[in-house]
Amino acid sequence: MNRWHVLKRLLPLMVGLMLILSACGREDLSTLNPQGPVAQSQYDLMKLSIGIMALVVIVVFAICIYVLIRFRRRKGDNTIPKQVEGNHTLEIIWTSVPLILLLILGVPTIQQVFNLSKDYSQDPDAIQVKVTAHQYWWEFEYPDYGITTAQDLIVPTGKKIYFQLHTADVKHSFWIPAIGGKMDTNAGITNKMYLEFDKEGVFRGKCAELCGPSHAYMDFKAKAVSEESFNNWIAAMHEPAQVAADAEIATLFTNACLSCHAIGESTADSARTGPDLTGIGGRVTVGSILYNDEAPVADNLVEWITDPQKIKAGANMPSAGDMGLTPEQVQGIADYLADYKLNY
Ligand code: HEC
Ligand SMILES: [Cu+2]
């Protein structure tokens, strides 16, 4: 069997695998299965443009194949066919048809471009979120409520969420495939966009711009909740930070961790070097990729604190060994953080 034969046999298998594997994963990461109005309008545009393109391809190919067969040179026929250059009817048809197709495509596209770039920064009904991308985590600040969180973006359903996008280091890209997007975070520029969540649920977000060794793990979660839950969450974020019951662990945590992390309403700038840890025990993940429904939170926390580099190469957090923590101390801190949940 020659190589081509093997390849031909493998082809259907590969196509099949591609179809199956592309549906892999947890939360829906597909733009082809929109879960919100922005993604829906983007998907509709995709369908329209692909539809028009498919129509053009089918019609052009059909005419082409028909002409090739119908007007091919026959045996013994040496005559020159009728010359049709300068045929007005044909010229009008092939100028006006593409024009009409472009209009059908262009009008809704331009409409959507303007619609999606609407500014809701002054809308009292919209929720303002300042997003800062870091290697390899996401920070979400809600300036109107005076709170900052990380990794889990909590939003109410049915409202415009207006994002102002920044980066703390290199270029990243903010993307929640099922909800809409995406947009780069550039140094020195504030990019803006809005999204809307019309149903409750957890939607996976990604960094969509290669930003370093752990780029592929730079996930976040958008958690859409009812307006009531959202208000409860805001209130819970304002409550005094929950400290460890064990005084020794509390001191250890303050000394080893609060130099980079914040809990409660800490305002020190240095405490923003790492993600805000308020309510960390209730997040969907630890470090954005250790899922808390696959392993107990405390175990994920131990795994993370023991060696963050092993989970995310290049993460800017020292290992427990570097911080001089014993496994017992790591366990103590992890147990405390696992219990630190917000009710909302
Ligand atoms: C030098 C600064 C620094 C110190 C000290 C530090 N961290 Fe971190 N930490 C980070 C950074 C940066 C990240 C984000 C890493 C990433 O996801 O790429 C992080 C992430 C985390 C996360 C994951 C947060 C989330 O939302 O999933 C936890 C939990 C955490 N750190 C706990 C700790 C604990 C506990 C200590 C003390 C023992 C500690 N950190 C000390 C910088 C630090
Ligand atoms: Cu990134």
Side-chain angles (χ1 to χ4, degrees):
M1 245 191 324
N2 65 24
R3 252 191 222 159
W4 173 234
H5 254 82
V6 179
L7 215 74
K8 242 180 10 195
R9 291 212 172 155
L10 281 178
L11 209 65
L13 178 75
M14 290 199 267
V15 172
L17 271 180
M18 201 170 79
L19 281 177
I20 296 167
L21 291 178
S22 60
C24 268
R26 296 174 49 104
E27 298 87 3
D28 209 327
L29 258 182
S30 176
T31 43
L32 304 180
N33 184 12
Q35 303 292 316
V38 171
Q40 184 66 50
S41 72
Q42 290 168 341
Y43 181 54
D44 290 344
L45 277 184
M46 271 193 263
K47 278 195 298 193
L48 180 71
S49 52
I50 290 173
I52 290 179
M53 284 188 274
L55 185 80
V56 169
V57 168
I58 289 168
V59 170
V60 168
F61 271 68
I63 295 175
C64 189
I65 290 166
Y66 170 77
V67 168
L68 278 179
I69 294 170
R70 176 75 179 75
F71 299 107
R72 72 188 186 282
R73 180 193 285 251
R74 277 158 230 271
K75 250 197 192 130
D77 177 5
N78 283 327
T79 56
I80 291 178
K82 187 181 155 208
Q83 299 301 296
V84 290
E85 72 207 58
N87 184 316
H88 273 127
T89 323
L90 278 178
E91 279 181 3
I92 289 171
I93 292 177
W94 67 53
T95 310
S96 55
V97 169
L99 209 72
I100 294 168
L101 290 181
L102 276 184
L103 277 177
I104 297 177
L105 190 60
V107 170
T109 304
I110 292 169
Q111 238 170 19
Q112 276 310 322
V113 166
F114 280 96
N115 186 22
L116 292 179
S117 58
K118 271 191 194 143
D119 187 330
Y120 289 99
S121 61
Q122 306 303 325
D123 185 338
D125 214 35
I127 305 288
Q128 308 296 325
V129 180
K130 197 181 141 200
V131 177
T132 308
H134 300 254
Q135 281 172 318
Y136 302 94
W137 60 282
W138 296 88
E139 183 174 3
F140 305 111
E141 185 188 341
Y142 299 66
D144 294 344
Y145 300 100
I147 55 180
T148 298
T149 187
Q151 305 299 53
D152 280 12
L153 165 74
I154 313 291
V155 289
T157 52
K159 287 205 169 193
K160 300 272 189 301
I161 318 294
Y162 196 61
F163 296 99
Q164 308 220 9
L165 306 163
H166 302 265
T167 178
D169 35 57
V170 300
K171 187 193 274 189
H172 304 269
S173 184
F174 178 82
W175 191 26
I176 312 173
I179 302 297
K182 59 196 168 200
M183 200 171 266
D184 279 1
T185 62
N186 301 77
I189 301 176
T190 304
N191 285 335
K192 297 163 189 168
M193 72 173 199
Y194 79 87
L195 291 174
E196 209 175 335
F197 298 75
D198 55 3
K199 47 183 137 183
E200 292 177 26
V202 175
F203 306 95
R204 189 163 157 205
K206 291 291 285 182
C207 173
E209 192 77 68
L210 184 60
C211 58
S214 285
H215 158 71
Y217 303 131
M218 193 172 154
D219 282 20
F220 62 98
K221 308 291 173 299
K223 198 168 172 188
V225 298
S226 67
E227 206 175 336
E228 192 193 341
S229 292
F230 179 73
N231 291 332
N232 292 341
W233 176 70
I234 298 284
M237 285 294 288
H238 280 296
E239 274 164 23
Q242 178 180 318
V243 288
D246 182 329
E248 199 187 319
I249 295 295
T251 314
L252 204 60
F253 180 71
T254 306
N255 294 339
C257 318
L258 292 189
S259 48
C260 290
H261 292 284
I263 48 165
E265 295 189 67
S266 164
T267 48
D269 274 352
S270 64
R272 299 287 169 207
T273 314
D276 189 288
L277 296 181
T278 311
I280 174 79
R283 287 197 188 147
V284 181
T285 58
V286 171
S288 74
I289 46 167
L290 300 175
Y291 279 81
N292 293 333
D293 60 0
E294 285 175 1
V297 197
D299 292 2
N300 283 340
L301 283 164
V302 169
E303 199 183 333
W304 174 265
I305 299 163
T306 304
D307 196 357
Q309 304 284 329
K310 205 172 126 200
I311 296 154
K312 272 186 178 172
N316 293 314
M317 171 165 158
S319 68
D322 289 342
M323 290 187 275
L325 301 174
T326 66
E328 293 71 39
Q329 289 170 325
V330 170
Q331 186 68 53
I333 293 177
D335 288 340
Y336 147 61
L337 288 178
D339 274 342
Y340 192 174
K341 297 184 171 129
L342 303 178
N343 287 320
Y344 63 96

